Each structure stands twice: as structure tokens, then as C-alpha cells.
Amino acid sequence: SFVLRIEDTDFKRSTAESTDQILKAMEWLGFDWDEGPIYQSERLDIYRSYAQKLVDEKKAFWCECSPEKVEASRQKALKEKRNPRYDGTCRNKGLGPGSSRVLRFVSEDTGTTSFDDIIKGKITVNNNELDDLVLLRTDGMPTYNFTVAVDDATMGITHVIRGDDHVNNTPRQIQIYEALGFETPRFAHVPMIMGPDKTKLSKRHGATSAIAYKDMGYLPEALMNYLARLSWSHGDQEIFSLEELIKFFDIKDVGKSAAVFDMEKLLWLNHHYIMEGDPSKIGYLLGEAASQKGYDIQGGSYLKQVVCDVRKRTKTLEEMVEYSGFYFTYKEPDETLKKKFLTPDMEEIFDALITQIQDLDFSDLSGIEDVFRQVIEQFDIPFKKIAQPVRISLTGKKASPGIFEVVFTLGKERVIERLQKAIDYIKENT
RNA sequence: GUCCCCAUCGUCUAGUUGGGCCUAGGACACCGGCCUUUCACGCCGGCAACAGGGGUUCAAAUCCCCUUGGGGACGCCA
């Protein structure tokens, strides 16, 4: 059972937009949850009652130390090369609740806390490393380490799988589980994903939310496949469908070390899925992306044909939009290209092409190939001689899909129109 | 600084549990060639790693220790 829980106990960070982004990303990646979303901000009474229980059992205490004071002692400890932790000033003051007071957990002073991580193996820390963490803030809102322990226990969570950066939270949470009399779940800490500079992936490495990849023209199956293969593998297999991922994935096969995010490999996978995907479906996505860029998009079957023409050459939908623009809007070639390829001798050749194309039935590629063959025979020139001038005239670029495909997809009307424009240019410049 | 964790090609990784089959395999990227109407795709080939040092053993990428390097955490963030 898949329960989606939104951990939004920090008013400063949790906004409608931030949770919306999570929901959108889940949807895009194809995740579908059975329960929820459950918002922690709507369960405050539950956390407060458990907090009260801890107070009653003397496992938590109210603290009046100001944030400034706590921060100062932290800095001092750091300077003296000690582990910075709360000094326990208010632990035995027997304070009650108050407006600028926080509730702190009485952590163990001696002994060790350890757990058997499914990925990392046994992890042990000395309890004197752990300080009396804040359970309730001055505004009464509970903190993460507290809420997850309460929720995981009361919601019947058996396995906690999360990022490596949480390993040091785990002993604290275990102490909370124990203080509350809960059974502790199993933990699995998956390695981090790092940026090219080998530090934790963050905003400065570029895109961080899944939606950002959508916007850059990646397919969800590509992102999913890529991410799954970080710190995990199934022999030498690189390509996994969602079904295979579900079938083959085992948390026990996850490696222990962090992985560096490699955009090149993601790109390769994305290209793979663009090639494998149903052209109509990719065409639909291309249409969406192209409209966003201001192109006037016509029907689906045209988009499908465009996709078939260009997909070998583009690795993202964004690139595809950029590359296939000429299919939608005529783009004039650069002056230098026109000078080089639209030479006076092309005029009669283009004329001949137009004449032949006019009578051609655009049912398949071979008819178009025949037209070009006839024209090069008629003028006794190599195909090479006309390929580039035609390409320039039709696409405005020196690189494009094969000439025959371009002519076929563009259709009779556009081809003649564009060739005519080329002829006009030649006439004007002769 | 303190604590925790990690360590195979530039990158993702196989191999490590139960040492020999590893003159270390695959993939991305890169380089070269072929194909070719451009650009690609495709195909063929190449470069490239067990961090270092000690042990244990007939035998170590695989087990143990140390060193070094890297990461993470140290919040009234999650």
C-alpha cells in the first residue's frame, strides 16, 4: 500500500506551490498512491498528545534558552573543536510550557544506539553524540524527527527507505520510538546522488525537481530508468521498463556508495526512449512543447511524421522542437548559405523539380526518389549537386533529415512554395 | 573540528556475501574506421580502473588492519 505523506510542519518552507510541485512530479512519473496525501499539518493534535505523554513521563522538558544563546554555544563548541550540542541548561529546571519555550527530548547520555541498516549494515553511535533535540518549536509546531517517528509507528510503516543524509537522524528517531514504546521499523539508507563536483546534488547543479526535467524535454521513463540505475544494477542490463524495475528491483542490491549524476547518460536514455516510444505519442508531446515555444501546430498525423523524420537526431523534446521548427514555420536560410548554394544554375533545375512534383502523387517516398533521379539524369549532374541546395531551400539549414523524407513530410504545397522562394531569390540576385 | 558512512575505467556499474573461472566484464562519454545527399542513426574497433601500504592464504579486486582520499550530518529544515 502506497501512502503519500506530506511533511509540511515548517510554515516557512511548506507552501501550496511546493506541495503542488511534489504532486505534479509524482503524477508525471506515473506514481499513483492508494492513501493520502496525508498532511502532517493536519495532524498536529496527534503529535501534541504524544508530546504530552513524553512530558508526563519526564522524557521531554520545556526549555527557555533563546535560539541566539543556543547558537552561540554551538559556535563556541565548534571553535573549541568539540561536538556542538545543546548543553542541557533547562533539563532539570522543571519548566512548564510558555510562549517562547520549546519542548526538548531527553536523550540518553550514556551507552550506544545502533541499528541494522538493510543497505549499510550495522551502524552504531555513542549516545553522547546526540543532544536534546527540539520536539515542539516556540510556535507549537512539531519538528521532523518527532513527526516521522510518530507517523511511521502509528501508520504501520515497516520499512523506512530514505537518503543517506538521514543516517545520523536515525539514532535520534530510534530513541523517540523507544521512549514512546513503539516498535522500530527497519531502515535502509540509499546513497546520495552527487553533482559533477561530487557534492550533494542541489539547486546550483541545475535542475532538482522532476518537473524541471519534464520542462527540459525529458521523458519520465528515461528519468526513472536513469535514477533507478544509480547505485543499483541488475547485471549488465541498462534499459528497464517500469514493469522490469518493479520485477527486478531489490533493496538488497543497492550499493553503498554515492553516485555522480551524469547528464550525458540521461540524454542517451532519453534518446533511447524517444526512439522506442510510439511516434504518435511522442508527436503529441512534441506538439505540446512546440506550441509552448510559439509554433503553430497542425494535426497529429503530421506531428507523427515529423517525429519519425527527426527522432534519430534529437535527444530531448526541447531539441526536437528546435530541430523540427522548419516543418511548422518557413525559415529563410542565412545569406551566406543562400549565396553558396542558390546559384544561378539551380534555377532551371528547381523549375524542373517543381514541374515534376506538381504532378506527383505523394503516396510514398519512392515517387519522390524517382523525381530526383529523373532530374539529375535530365541535367546530367550528380545527386550531391542538388541535395544541399534543395535542403537549404526547404529547411533553411544545412543539416536536416534526408531530403526525400523532408519533401514527403512537408507535402507538395509547402515544397513547391519553398522551392519557388528559392527561385525568386536566384532571379533577384542574377 | 566531532561523529557517521564510503572507496573497481572520466562517469554509471558487474565481480566482493560463500577468496581461485578476472591477463577485471558491460554501459555512457571520448577517439578511430565503415556506411552516406547534409546532420544523425547504425555497425566495427580503440583508449581507460581494482586509492596506497601492511598482513592472512598455496592463491586477494574479493578477508583483516592502517594510511590517504571523498561524502554526509552536526538547525526552533526536512
Side-chain angles (χ1 to χ4, degrees):
Chain A
S1 165
F2 181 175
V3 186
L4 180 63
R5 189 171 76 209
I6 305 292
E7 300 175 344
D8 58 344
T9 58
D10 183 9
F11 276 145
K12 291 185 284 294
R13 295 213 317 174
S14 304
T15 60
E17 299 86 74
S18 62
T19 62
D20 193 52
Q21 185 153 72
I22 293 168
L23 265 27
K24 285 240 174 66
M26 299 284 273
E27 193 188 335
W28 178 62
L29 287 167
F31 288 131
D32 202 8
W33 50 94
D34 313 303
E35 277 182 64
I38 293 171
Y39 293 87
Q40 290 189 324
S41 57
E42 290 170 8
R43 292 164 56 83
L44 300 178
D45 290 345
I46 297 171
Y47 310 122
R48 282 174 193 149
S49 76
Y50 279 106
Q52 189 55 48
K53 187 177 175 221
L54 290 175
V55 172
D56 293 343
E57 295 173 11
K58 304 257 184 279
K59 289 170 180 167
F61 63 95
W62 291 97
C63 167
E64 61 180 353
C65 298
S66 70
E68 296 75 27
K69 188 192 155 195
V70 174
E71 180 57 25
S73 85
R74 235 197 303 275
Q75 291 305 326
K76 190 173 171 234
L78 226 43
K79 209 168 282 175
E80 291 169 8
K81 302 182 179 184
R82 285 183 293 111
N83 177 26
R85 45 185 299 246
Y86 176 71
D87 60 10
T89 306
C90 299
R91 219 194 232 208
N92 299 311
K93 282 186 182 170
L95 261 25
S99 64
S100 61
R101 291 176 184 174
V102 297
L103 187 71
R104 285 183 184 273
F105 181 69
V106 179
S107 72
E108 301 286 336
D109 293 317
T110 57
T112 61
T113 298
S114 60
F115 60 100
D116 189 29
D117 192 278
I118 295 168
I119 293 170
K120 308 256 182 197
K122 190 170 179 178
I123 295 174
T124 304
V125 295
N126 283 319
N127 287 337
N128 61 22
E129 290 295 327
L130 278 21
D131 65 357
D132 298 340
L133 66 281
V134 171
L135 265 22
L136 298 178
R137 301 177 244 245
T138 45
D139 66 0
M141 291 296 281
T143 56
Y144 166 78
N145 280 112
F146 181 46
T147 57
V148 292
V150 170
D151 282 342
D152 288 344
T154 59
M155 293 166 74
I157 304 300
T158 55
H159 291 70
V160 174
I161 302 169
R162 52 170 38 155
D164 212 332
D165 49 345
H166 281 287
V167 285
N168 0 219
N169 282 330
T170 305
R172 303 167 191 282
Q173 288 168 19
I174 287 173
Q175 288 196 12
I176 293 174
Y177 284 107
E178 288 172 350
L180 253 17
F182 293 138
E183 197 178 319
T184 60
R186 300 259 1 235
F187 292 93
H189 288 97
V190 301
M192 310 255 75
I193 299 173
M194 302 183 298
D197 62 352
K198 303 204 177 201
T199 65
K200 193 176 170 180
L201 203 58
S202 67
K203 298 104 232 148
R204 82 196 135 81
H205 292 112
T208 42
S209 74
I211 289 299
Y213 287 91
K214 180 188 184 209
D215 295 341
M216 292 189 292
Y218 288 89
L219 265 21
E221 45 271 56
L223 217 215
M224 187 81 97
N225 192 153
Y226 178 68
L227 259 19
R229 274 285 347 257
L230 294 181
S231 294
W232 175 83
S233 66
H234 183 70
D236 286 336
Q237 189 170 342
E238 296 286 351
I239 306 295
F240 294 87
S241 64
L242 183 58
E243 291 69 37
E244 287 177 306
L245 246 23
I246 292 167
K247 190 165 130 202
F248 295 137
F249 187 85
D250 188 330
I251 194 73
K252 291 185 197 70
D253 296 329
V254 174
K256 295 177 173 187
S257 50
V260 173
F261 193 95
D262 181 14
M263 197 61 93
E264 292 297 333
K265 191 157 183 179
L266 208 209
L267 237 20
W268 171 73
L269 274 166
N270 204 53
H271 184 231
H272 170 83
Y273 284 102
I274 282 177
M275 292 297 287
E276 294 289 299
D278 173 12
S280 311
K281 220 160 128 189
I282 305 291
Y284 175 77
L285 295 173
L286 170 65
E288 260 185 351
S291 324
Q292 269 178 24
K293 293 265 174 171
Y295 285 99
D296 191 23
I297 298 307
Q298 29 290 89
S301 66
Y302 186 64
L303 282 166
K304 177 181 174 181
Q305 272 192 72
V306 171
V307 167
C308 291
D309 281 4
V310 307
R311 61 180 173 177
K312 277 196 297 211
R313 300 157 233 268
T314 58
K315 294 182 174 181
T316 65
L317 292 172
E318 198 174 54
E319 274 180 36
M320 200 180 264
V321 171
E322 165 78 23
Y323 190 88
S324 62
F326 71 87
Y327 281 102
F328 311 113
T329 309
Y330 173 71
K331 184 180 167 280
E332 199 153 319
D334 289 344
E335 199 57 37
T336 51
L337 288 179
K338 287 199 276 195
K339 268 208 184 93
K340 184 168 177 196
F341 293 104
L342 303 185
T343 48
D345 55 322
M346 295 312 297
E347 184 181 341
E348 52 177 354
I349 297 172
F350 277 20
D351 264 330
L353 274 173
I354 290 176
T355 315
Q356 294 244 25
I357 286 170
Q358 215 118 39
D359 302 327
L360 186 68
D361 172 26
F362 271 55
S363 57
D364 60 10
L365 281 174
S366 68
I368 292 163
E369 283 184 48
D370 287 343
V371 165
F372 277 85
R373 195 170 306 132
Q374 281 176 38
V375 170
I376 62 173
E377 272 170 24
Q378 184 186 332
F379 290 91
D380 192 30
I381 47 169
F383 180 66
K384 242 184 151 103
K385 183 93 165 84
I386 59 169
Q388 209 58 343
V390 171
R391 183 188 319 285
I392 299 290
S393 308
L394 261 26
T395 71
K397 306 187 297 179
K398 52 184 174 183
S400 83
I403 281 297
F404 307 136
E405 284 95 323
V406 169
V407 169
F408 182 71
T409 302
L410 240 25
K412 189 184 288 188
E413 209 176 301
R414 288 193 193 83
V415 170
I416 291 173
E417 189 188 314
R418 294 181 188 190
L419 285 178
Q420 193 56 55
K421 275 186 175 143
I423 291 171
D424 293 346
Y425 169 84
I426 295 170
K427 281 183 176 156
E428 281 167 31
N429 291 275
T430 305

